Amino acid sequence: MECAARGRGTRCIGPPTRRCGRCGAVAYCSLSHQVSHWSDHKEECARLEQQMKNADVLHDFPFTFSEEATIQVCEKQATRCSFLMKRDLHHVGMWKYECSCGAAAIASSNYSRVDEDWSLSSVLCPCHEPVTPISMHLSSWKDYYEWRCLPLHSPAAFLLHWPLTVYHAIQLAALSSSISKSSNRLHIHYLGPDKELHQLAVFGELHALFPRLQVHIELVGPAIPQIRDGESIDLCSYAHCVDRGCSCSSQSENADRGISDGRTSAVILQLHKGFYHDRYRDIKKDSVPDLIVAPNAGIAAYSSWLPTIELIKEMNVPAIFSDYCEEAAHLAASCISTVTNCPLRVPIQLNPFRQPMVVEDSALFLPCYSNCFLFGM
């Protein structure tokens, strides 16, 4: 957390311990900095105040660990690392990238393999086909856990928020019915991947979410290593558990040997390094998108989004974005409206499949979650 008036002239005299008495979302190092910043802050104060009042809604999850992962982390009674340590997941497999202690930076030099497993028992993760095919629209983590027969103490949602956010984006874009009627293929252009590049195995869950559908995802962004530019990944199976003798191991081996399990679905990922507006001409030769998804986009924070927004407007393809908090989504919506001269097609709304652990040390006192709010053009 930094002083909200940092960089506006005089130097900060200490840590930002003086919070705005109205919204409580920003803090200052001194009274003089608070006074000097008011001319800017007064435009946002009432909006931030309302967003702070919605904190309880953001913290509302059905899991047995919800308070530990939300309130306790916010109040610094717990950390992401301590949560993972209690469950023997700290610095393990795909979980390495969920803490802020530096493990992710060390591990990223050896970019994670797609065959990383859940590091969980079969009871705690979706490592194989669902007991019953999906037959209803999933609208919450509770719906999903009941369908996948997972106990509410399973931390699997920490990683599953990536494919479940894609699933929900497809529902928001109203693509499900049109795809089932016209084609068995779904092409998604996925912009700005970062942490999920180390957790790609969880996208295998799209097999269960979209049975008998060919899902092709083009991941495009500057965070993709140059050595992986153009790499194609066929997720033939679900990420598997650690239980010896579980059926997921034999299914994975059969997939590696090209033995069919009778399923006609497919999940294929293709990696492209660079900005979308620079790479689109090459990508569209093989993949014209049905949907564009941009997780944790930060549109207002990066000027590189402007030409991409202009391109998406020209393409007239539905695009769903997410961001960490409502204020970031609000600022992004303003940027999009300025570029397109049009209101959002999908208004800002809470993502029911946001990651159920709060982000530590956010820029504001607003509760922040990965893939927290969704909106679209």
Side-chain angles (χ1 to χ4, degrees):
M1 178 68 67
E2 295 181 343
C3 173
R6 183 175 182 269
R8 288 177 52 86
T10 58
R11 297 179 62 182
C12 290
I13 62 173
T17 57
R18 184 183 183 89
R19 291 173 68 169
C20 173
R22 180 178 179 182
C23 71
V26 298
Y28 302 90
C29 67
S30 63
L31 175 60
S32 62
H33 270 201
Q34 183 174 4
V35 171
S36 68
H37 190 245
W38 176 246
S39 59
D40 290 337
H41 181 57
K42 65 182 179 181
E43 300 296 330
E44 64 184 9
C45 189
R47 186 173 68 247
L48 292 176
E49 179 185 17
Q50 185 57 48
Q51 293 174 21
M52 287 291 285
K53 290 179 180 178
N54 295 331
D56 288 345
V57 177
L58 270 64
H59 294 327
D60 186 19
F61 293 99
F63 308 109
T64 59
F65 54 76
S66 294
E67 183 175 353
E68 179 186 359
T70 60
I71 304 298
Q72 291 183 21
V73 174
C74 282
E75 296 179 353
K76 300 189 183 301
Q77 298 171 0
T79 65
R80 297 174 75 93
C81 291
S82 67
F83 182 96
L84 295 172
M85 286 176 184
K86 288 181 182 179
R87 292 156 179 85
D88 296 323
L89 295 172
H90 195 231
H91 294 190
V92 174
M94 295 185 288
W95 301 91
K96 289 192 290 283
Y97 311 96
E98 291 305 323
C99 63
S100 54
C101 66
I106 296 172
S108 63
S109 61
N110 182 29
Y111 243 78
S112 83
R113 305 185 312 274
V114 176
D115 61 350
E116 297 264 32
D117 61 42
W118 276 104
S119 304
L120 295 170
S121 69
S122 60
V123 175
L124 298 179
C125 64
C127 60
H128 44 66
E129 292 288 329
V131 174
T132 58
I134 190 167
S135 60
M136 58 173 282
H137 170 57
L138 305 175
S139 59
S140 68
W141 279 121
K142 188 171 184 290
D143 286 348
Y144 173 79
Y145 267 51
E146 288 179 352
W147 170 56
R148 282 305 241 150
C149 302
L150 297 176
L152 289 176
H153 63 270
S154 166
F158 277 42
L159 305 184
L160 284 167
H161 72 104
W162 298 119
L164 267 294
T165 293
V166 170
Y167 165 83
H168 193 60
I170 290 168
Q171 311 306 316
L172 290 179
L175 287 179
S176 294
S177 58
S178 61
I179 292 169
S180 61
K181 292 178 182 178
S182 62
S183 172
N184 69 335
R185 292 179 178 269
L186 174 62
H187 287 268
I188 298 173
H189 288 186
Y190 189 106
L191 313 189
D194 191 359
K195 182 191 293 186
E196 60 268 48
L197 292 170
H198 306 278
Q199 301 167 335
L200 293 176
V202 299
F203 285 92
E205 183 61 7
L206 294 173
H207 283 299
L209 292 165
F210 298 103
R212 302 192 178 280
L213 193 64
Q214 311 292 309
V215 182
H216 296 252
I217 303 179
E218 310 286 338
L219 297 100
V220 191
I224 293 173
Q226 187 63 52
I227 59 172
R228 299 191 72 180
D229 184 26
E231 180 179 341
S232 182
I233 302 163
D234 190 348
L235 296 181
C236 300
S237 61
Y238 299 94
H240 45 274
C241 68
V242 296
D243 292 347
R244 293 183 178 180
C246 179
S247 62
C248 69
S249 297
S250 59
Q251 290 170 359
S252 179
E253 291 172 2
N254 286 341
D256 291 341
R257 293 198 298 264
I259 301 174
S260 173
D261 60 0
R263 183 179 59 204
T264 59
S265 63
V267 179
I268 299 172
L269 312 178
Q270 187 91 25
L271 306 184
H272 307 272
K273 181 176 179 59
F275 293 115
Y276 187 58
H277 52 270
D278 292 329
R279 297 302 307 270
Y280 175 67
R281 291 184 181 276
D282 293 331
I283 297 170
K284 75 172 183 178
K285 295 175 183 177
D286 301 312
S287 172
V288 176
D290 299 298
L291 174 68
I292 295 168
V293 177
N296 300 323
I299 289 174
Y302 301 102
S303 59
S304 56
W305 272 109
L306 297 180
T308 291
I309 297 300
E310 292 175 347
L311 172 61
I312 294 173
K313 180 186 177 183
E314 293 175 9
M315 294 163 60
N316 196 29
V317 170
I320 303 294
F321 307 89
S322 77
D323 223 316
Y324 289 98
C325 67
E326 188 173 0
E327 181 62 10
H330 170 82
L331 297 174
S334 296
C335 289
I336 291 172
S337 296
T338 299
V339 173
T340 64
N341 293 315
C342 297
L344 293 176
R345 290 184 182 178
V346 178
I348 297 170
Q349 56 195 274
L350 189 63
N351 179 12
F353 298 109
R354 62 198 178 278
Q355 187 183 49
M357 173 169 274
V358 74
V359 174
E360 292 176 302
D361 300 323
S362 58
L364 300 173
F365 282 98
L366 291 170
C368 294
Y369 293 88
S370 182
N371 287 322
C372 192
F373 282 88
L374 300 172
F375 50 98
M377 59 180 286

